[in-house]
Every structure is written in structure tokens, then in C-alpha cells.
Amino acid sequence: MTAESDPDLTTTDPEIAELIQAENVRQRDTVRLIASENYVSSAVLQATGTVLTNKYSEGYPGKRYYEGQQIIDQVETLAIDRAKALFGVEHANVQPYSGSPANLAVYLAFLKPGETVMGMALPMGGHLTHGWSVSATGTWFRSVQYGVRKETGRVDMDEVRDLARAERPKVIFCGGTAIPRTIDFPAFAEVAREIDAILVADIAHIAGLVAGGAHPSPVGSAQVISTTTHKTLRGPRGAMLMSTAEHAKALDKAVFPGLQGGPHNHTTAAIAVALKEAATKEFRQYAAAIVENAKALADGLSAHGFDLVSGGTDNHLLLVDLENKQLPGKQAAKALDRAGIELNYNTVPFDPRKPFDPSGIRLGTAAVTSRGMGTSDMSQVADWIARVVDAERAGDQHAVETVGEEVRDFARAFPMPGLSGDSA
Ligand SMILES: *Cc1c(COP(=O)(O)O)cnc(C)c1O
């Protein structure tokens, strides 16, 4: 492992090399509908596997605690400038290791332990880090949680307003992980303004749609925007915090030295690449196609009698309540996985079942859109999902396997971004 002896991965560790190869093939041969996942481009992948991983650079461009930052400062500055331009924000921090630490930095910046935060309850579609009980954010802080209306499956803004007036949270989170509808940022901003709270828009799921003009932007409504970079945005695993100039210092201090040490510079470079890609006309078309595909998938599933939470979707995501299909979400998800259709079981609002074995499944169209699949492909996928769910309920494993063969042939026909050469 010195310069004289520096064999490649297949030589050094054939076990890991083979597993990576197998995952390449699995991702190629699967219809991937996990709403938080995607395929990054070869350019993004390349940036992550570079010598930038060797460099320590605690601090920020121009204010580092280690020498040798001639190049790293330029990389991080590019990422920051691209984030600011793409989202139209005054400040961007590209160092959070992932979405959860990014949100923790928000707490550190604006709240003391025991102070009140308001977020959407996890079983209603919120994220763990929005104050859910098992998360540090729900134990170290006083958390109050809102949900959706039972009749509409949509956020109950009356409940949000009443709860905010009664509990006076210092920070309000909007956004979540299983919200199939447009987030009304101005309505949240009005509530936050009334009680002088800081509004945080967590756009982890929809960042690519916001960047591509397929979902309204929180800029002008939320003082702070938190996002992952690896979901609809199609970047590497990572996160960003964006804000008005007023909150820049507090957020930067919270990320470093508040929570983290050295930033992951290989990730920062890949974020910069993803942001450049997201600023193109093609990406705007991509974002629009994600939403069109989600609507087509929703139409296809509705035609097969599936019960969609909120009746449909405005974004990349669908939440399906399987109660009327008499099949638990977990059993459906596992059967679909055997058939090469990958998604996750998920609680639905007011779920009578337990979180580890809930009533629903969650689907998203970002990854399949990255493969170049279109709306007619989505109705085909909906047909397969219906066939698998019916077969699984009837205990017909042969029918599940038959769908699996069709799915594999179908998926293979679509080029896979980032597929390493020798898998093709
Ligand atoms: C995915 C997600 C996160 C957390 O991201 P990780 O990178 O998994 O830690 C935070 N908030 C929301 C709304 C998310 O969807």
C-alpha cells in the first residue's frame, strides 16, 4: 500500500470488489422506487472517489485550522457559490455530513436544551429529526407535533396555527419524508411570523424539484433551508444548510465547531458537480418528468383500486394505504422486492398497525426517471405492482416470480447512470 505496492480494489479486496459489482447489477436489474433514492451521474461518482478524501480542512474557505488548503478552498467555494445561485439564497453551508446532522446543527444554532420545537409527527410524514420522541431532537428538546387531516391526508394548517399559538415554539420545521403534496411555505411563514419563530424548511426529499422548478421554493418564506443532497437532487450522500444572511454565522458555528470536525471534501466536490448539473435546462426537464411519472404511477395504481393517501401526488412521492388490499405493507414490500420492484413499507396517517409492520408502502419516481423511464412505463410498473400484491395475497409465489422475470428484462433495457463499465 506504499507507492511501489498499490494494487487496485479487485486485487486488494476481491470480496468487497465482488459485492460492489453485484450491487451494480442489482441496481441495473431493479425498478427502484424508494422515494429517497436515486442514481447519481458518473461525474458525481467520479468526484466522490478522489484524493480529496485525503485532506483535512477544519474551518471554512479562507479560515482553516490546517495548511495546504490552496485547492480545497476553491472546491468548497465553488460548491457554496453554486448552491447560492441555484436556490437563490444569501448563505449556504455545504459541510453537514448528512441530513440528520444538518438538522441537529439547526437545533444547536437556535435552541437550548428543553426549549420548544414544532415539527410534523413521524407517523404523519415528518422526519425523526423534527422532534420525534426516539430521536435526540425529541428527548433533549421539548417537542410538539402536528399532523394531517384524516379526511384529506393533507397538513392541517389550523392545527399548526393553534399549536404554535398555544406552545410558542422557537423553531418550526416544515417538510418531511412521506408528504405526497406541495408544502405551503407561505402559510407556515405566516404562522411562524405571528409567534416570532424561525421557520426551517426541510426540503431533503424535494430539493431537486425545487431546484428544477417543479415545486415552489421556500426562499422568502423560510429563514433556514435544510436539505440532503442525495435524494431528488441527485448528488452524493451529504447535506446543506441555506439561510438568509442574518442566520449565516449561527449556522456555520453550529456545524463547525459545534457538531463536526473536518468536512468530507470528496463529498463537497461531488456536491459541486451535482449543483452544476442541477442548474441545467436538462435538469429542469428531469424534475418535471419526475412529477409526471409520479402522477402516471398514481393514476395506474388508482385504476387498480389502490388507496392513495391524499388521493394522489403533486411531487415525486406516493403513499399507498394497503388496508383495502388486505395485505400488510411489509409483506407487500418484501414480495415486490422478490419481483425486482424495490420500495419501502411505511406507516400511513392514523395507521392502526405498528410502525415495524404498518399498513402502507411508499413509492417515488426520482430513480426510475433517472433511468429514462416515462409515463407509459409507469402504468406498466403499476400493473406489475397490482399483480404482485394480488399474487402475494393469494400465496401464489410462481406468479410473483413470473413478474420478477418480466421486471428484470424491462429494467435491463434502460441505461443506468454510473454503471461501471464491466457490468454492461
Ligand atoms: C432523508 C431526510 C433527512 C435525513 O437525512 P439523512 O441523510 O438520512 O440523515 C432529514 N429530513 C428529511 C425530511 C429527510 O427526508
Side-chain angles (χ1 to χ4, degrees):
M1 267 157 293
T2 59
E4 299 81 54
S5 161
D6 183 21
D8 70 2
L9 179 63
T10 14
T11 312
T12 301
D13 193 338
E15 267 178 294
I16 285 293
E18 266 171 41
L19 289 171
I20 292 171
Q21 190 50 29
E23 178 64 7
N24 248 312
V25 170
R26 194 195 68 80
Q27 291 190 14
R28 182 195 64 187
D29 295 352
T30 307
V31 170
R32 298 175 58 230
L33 294 173
I34 292 182
S36 47
E37 292 184 351
N38 211 329
Y39 295 89
V40 298
S41 67
S42 294
V44 167
L45 266 188
Q46 277 170 30
T48 61
T50 61
V51 294
L52 299 189
T53 196
N54 295 340
K55 187 73 197 109
Y56 244 102
S57 58
E58 288 185 353
Y60 291 100
K63 293 162 285 192
R64 305 284 190 184
Y65 291 81
Y66 294 75
E67 299 315 312
Q69 310 297 344
Q70 297 85 346
I71 314 297
I72 296 299
D73 273 5
Q74 297 180 59
V75 170
E76 187 168 337
T77 302
L78 264 179
I80 291 168
D81 288 347
R82 287 176 184 172
K84 284 160 71 174
L86 181 64
F87 288 94
V89 290
E90 293 169 356
H91 176 69
N93 183 312
V94 297
Q95 293 193 5
Y97 298 143
S98 213
S100 303
N103 284 348
L104 204 52
V106 170
Y107 287 79
L108 187 60
F110 303 117
L111 294 163
K112 290 190 183 61
E115 288 187 329
T116 305
V117 61
M118 182 164 100
M120 192 179 201
L122 180 71
M124 293 285 177
H127 191 260
L128 280 165
T129 55
H130 297 182
W132 188 242
S133 54
V134 300
S135 154
T137 62
T139 47
W140 295 344
F141 303 92
R142 181 175 167 271
S143 153
V144 292
Q145 305 259 282
Y146 58 87
V148 297
R149 279 186 197 276
K150 199 162 189 172
E151 318 83 68
T152 61
R154 294 174 187 242
V155 173
D156 185 345
M157 285 311 300
D158 293 329
E159 183 192 11
V160 169
R161 192 177 314 103
D162 292 347
L163 205 56
R165 283 178 181 162
E167 306 289 350
R168 320 280 308 176
K170 279 182 83 175
V171 170
I172 299 175
F173 276 91
C174 61
T177 63
I179 304 173
R181 295 297 183 176
T182 301
I183 300 163
D184 189 348
F185 298 122
F188 275 99
E190 199 185 306
V191 171
R193 208 176 304 118
E194 187 189 319
I195 60 158
D196 205 20
I198 290 174
L199 179 63
V200 183
D202 183 346
I203 61 167
H205 262 265
I206 56 172
L209 304 183
V210 171
H215 186 290
S217 167
V219 175
S221 299
Q223 295 97 318
V224 177
I225 299 166
S226 172
T227 186
T228 57
T229 46
H230 48 270
K231 297 177 184 176
T232 54
L233 193 57
R234 281 192 78 186
R237 298 200 90 88
M240 304 191 293
L241 285 169
M242 298 178 281
S243 71
T244 54
E246 184 191 355
H247 299 297
K249 255 209 172 115
L251 288 170
D252 282 355
K253 255 182 68 190
V255 173
F256 175 86
L259 271 185
Q260 300 187 169
H264 295 178
N265 296 308
H266 56 302
T267 300
T268 305
I271 289 174
V273 175
L275 291 168
K276 182 172 183 181
E277 291 175 348
T280 59
K281 197 173 86 230
E282 291 72 28
F283 195 89
R284 289 187 83 80
Q285 291 160 355
Y286 167 68
I290 291 175
V291 177
E292 277 169 31
N293 277 342
K295 287 189 193 300
L297 190 56
D299 290 345
L301 290 171
S302 296
H304 283 289
F306 283 93
D307 177 11
L308 272 56
V309 171
S310 83
T313 179
D314 299 325
N315 53 33
H316 66 301
L317 184 150
L318 290 80
L319 195 56
V320 179
D321 186 341
L322 291 173
E323 200 186 343
N324 69 341
K325 294 286 183 182
Q326 292 154 13
L327 192 70
K330 196 180 196 170
Q331 197 182 337
K334 290 196 176 302
L336 285 161
D337 193 44
R338 289 200 299 280
I341 296 174
E342 186 188 0
L343 43 72
N344 68 284
Y345 60 87
N346 213 99
T347 48
V348 295
F350 309 99
D351 203 325
R353 301 176 61 91
K354 295 248 171 349
F356 195 60
D357 188 14
S359 300
I361 50 175
R362 187 187 68 159
L363 306 79
T365 52
V368 289
T369 307
S370 296
R371 293 290 295 272
M373 295 177 195
T375 51
S376 58
D377 301 311
M378 291 306 103
S379 43
Q380 170 65 262
V381 169
D383 292 348
W384 278 321
I385 291 172
R387 270 169 65 191
V388 170
V389 165
D390 290 344
E392 177 67 15
R393 192 184 45 245
D396 184 352
Q397 285 318 302
H398 179 70
V400 174
E401 281 160 31
T402 306
V403 172
E405 284 157 24
E406 293 173 29
V407 167
R408 243 172 303 283
D409 287 343
F410 166 84
R412 247 176 228 173
F414 292 89
M416 173 177 150
L419 182 69
S420 66
D422 48 1
S423 327

